[in-house]
Amino acid sequence: MEIQNVILRGSFNPTVSSVQTRKARLFTKLAVPFLSEIGFPKWVSMKCDCSFHSDTKRNLQRCRNRAQKAECKGISDVEEDKPKAKIRRKNLAVFVSGGGSNFRSIHEATLNGSVHGDIVVLVTNKHDCGGAEYACCKGIPVIVFPTRKDKEDVFSAEDLVIALKSLKVDFILLAGYLKLIPAALIRAYPKAILNIHPSLLPAFGGKGYYGMKVHKAVIASGARYSGPTIHYVDEQYDTGCILAQRVVPVLAKDTAEELAARVLHEEHKLYVEVSAALCEERITWREDGVPLIQSKENPNNYR
């Protein structure tokens, strides 16, 4: 599979197969079946082999496009004596800056049926990161954001919103994305953007606390427990409403690497569980503004 490196501009219209470009800008279709049928607004897509080593280039060229168009089914009104209406599959956008292990876990869960949704696009600020390579191999379109400031065609936050809306993205999942989310995107997706952080927020969160820096700080503090937190995203780092947490003990002789591995193991499970609840519309909000997850087995129970 070969995905061409393009910059697309224009007005989105799902009923046509091309886009009228402004100022005679370039239009090219992606080699992804369900995307090639529609036109796009301006956005940036990554070429699979743009920055990888030659062996990886050859491997990626042999990758088959496994992306499938989700068959979306709307919620319909039913009578009480009929089966419960089916919830349509949700479209997910995942943001990464590195290897994307949480992204991979969620993607696998969408394929095996654990998560009632589909990852329709990956957004990354590093076009050659492991997450982008994985997405390319799986036929998932990649948007590079933010683009470098020295680029002639800068891809703005407003452009990103247009692109995600064009792909009918329902929810955005940050999975190791190290850039601050622009206000325009937060306004466009209220209560629809989640992030995972490798500590029990509000402890060890905020600007500068990411990756191994978090785990080193936890150990240095003498804290006996750590673990991942999934929270809603606002305009600051790690300050949004907490949705879910998982406790991991900090052992007496832990290194940062050992603690990180245990926390990451729980991250993979927790993010899949939360993604499933999100796609099944099992997130509710208390009157005081605290989000809760409704139990799938017993709708009267919350966590």
Side-chain angles (χ1 to χ4, degrees):
M1 176 193 73
E2 182 180 355
I3 297 181
Q4 299 182 6
N5 187 27
V6 296
I7 297 177
L8 305 179
R9 296 179 179 269
S11 300
F12 174 72
N13 186 341
T15 63
V16 298
S17 59
S18 64
V19 176
Q20 292 184 347
T21 58
R22 299 190 298 272
K23 300 180 181 179
R25 290 185 175 91
L26 179 65
F27 168 76
T28 309
K29 292 181 180 179
L30 290 175
V32 181
F34 71 93
L35 292 178
S36 64
E37 298 171 0
I38 63 178
F40 288 90
K42 181 181 70 174
W43 70 315
V44 179
S45 171
M46 188 197 75
K47 185 176 181 181
C48 276
D49 59 356
C50 59
S51 298
F52 303 135
H53 297 297
S54 57
D55 289 343
T56 306
K57 293 180 183 179
R58 288 192 291 270
N59 290 336
L60 291 178
Q61 289 173 354
R62 290 195 292 266
C63 288
R64 294 183 178 180
N65 181 3
R66 300 180 182 177
Q68 297 179 348
K69 183 178 181 181
E71 182 181 357
C72 295
K73 298 181 180 179
I75 302 176
S76 58
D77 294 331
V78 294
E79 298 177 2
E80 292 184 359
D81 58 343
K82 292 183 179 180
K84 185 178 179 181
K86 291 184 179 179
I87 297 175
R88 69 171 178 85
R89 293 182 70 86
K90 301 300 189 292
N91 289 337
L92 308 174
V94 181
F95 286 42
V96 305
S97 293
S101 63
N102 275 303
F103 159 49
R104 299 177 191 217
S105 295
I106 296 169
H107 179 248
E108 290 171 1
T110 64
L111 297 180
N112 66 29
S114 300
V115 172
H116 191 61
D118 299 283
I119 298 176
V120 297
V121 65
L122 178 82
V123 176
T124 181
N125 62 309
K126 296 183 178 180
H127 68 277
D128 56 352
C129 68
E133 179 180 355
Y134 175 85
C136 188
C137 193
K138 298 298 182 180
I140 299 172
V142 173
I143 295 176
V144 177
F145 180 85
T147 50
R148 293 204 319 259
K149 293 182 179 179
D150 59 349
K151 287 280 188 180
E152 181 179 350
D153 249 333
V154 176
F155 191 68
S156 69
E158 289 73 19
D159 295 328
L160 179 60
V161 171
I162 292 172
L164 298 181
K165 292 293 186 181
S166 300
L167 292 167
K168 298 183 179 179
V169 168
D170 296 294
F171 300 109
I172 296 170
L173 307 177
L174 310 187
Y177 185 70
L178 301 182
K179 294 292 184 178
L180 188 66
I181 300 301
L185 187 58
I186 295 172
R187 289 193 299 267
Y189 283 91
K191 294 184 178 180
I193 307 176
L194 292 177
N195 179 51
I196 191 162
H197 184 77
S199 74
L200 296 175
L201 293 176
F204 309 104
K207 188 174 182 179
Y209 277 98
Y210 61 88
M212 207 59 66
K213 292 182 179 180
V214 174
H215 305 297
K216 289 180 179 179
V218 170
I219 292 174
S221 74
R224 298 316 197 249
Y225 296 95
S226 188
T229 298
I230 294 177
H231 65 94
Y232 281 90
V233 174
D234 57 20
E235 296 184 21
Q236 306 297 322
Y237 285 106
D238 305 326
T239 58
C241 295
I242 293 172
L243 178 60
Q245 292 181 314
R246 187 69 56 83
V247 175
V248 173
V250 180
L251 305 182
K253 296 184 179 180
D254 260 343
T255 64
E257 290 75 17
E258 290 169 339
L259 178 59
R262 289 203 307 280
V263 171
L264 185 62
H265 179 72
E266 295 302 322
E267 284 185 33
H268 293 165
K269 295 189 293 184
L270 185 62
Y271 222 167
V272 167
E273 292 174 11
V274 170
S275 298
L278 197 65
C279 291
E280 293 167 8
E281 301 176 4
R282 291 189 285 110
I283 308 298
T284 63
W285 292 77
R286 273 188 349 207
E287 292 182 1
D288 59 356
V290 173
L292 301 172
I293 299 176
Q294 188 178 43
S295 170
K296 187 173 183 178
E297 292 75 21
N298 186 353
N300 294 319
N301 289 343
Y302 297 87
R303 51 168 294 186

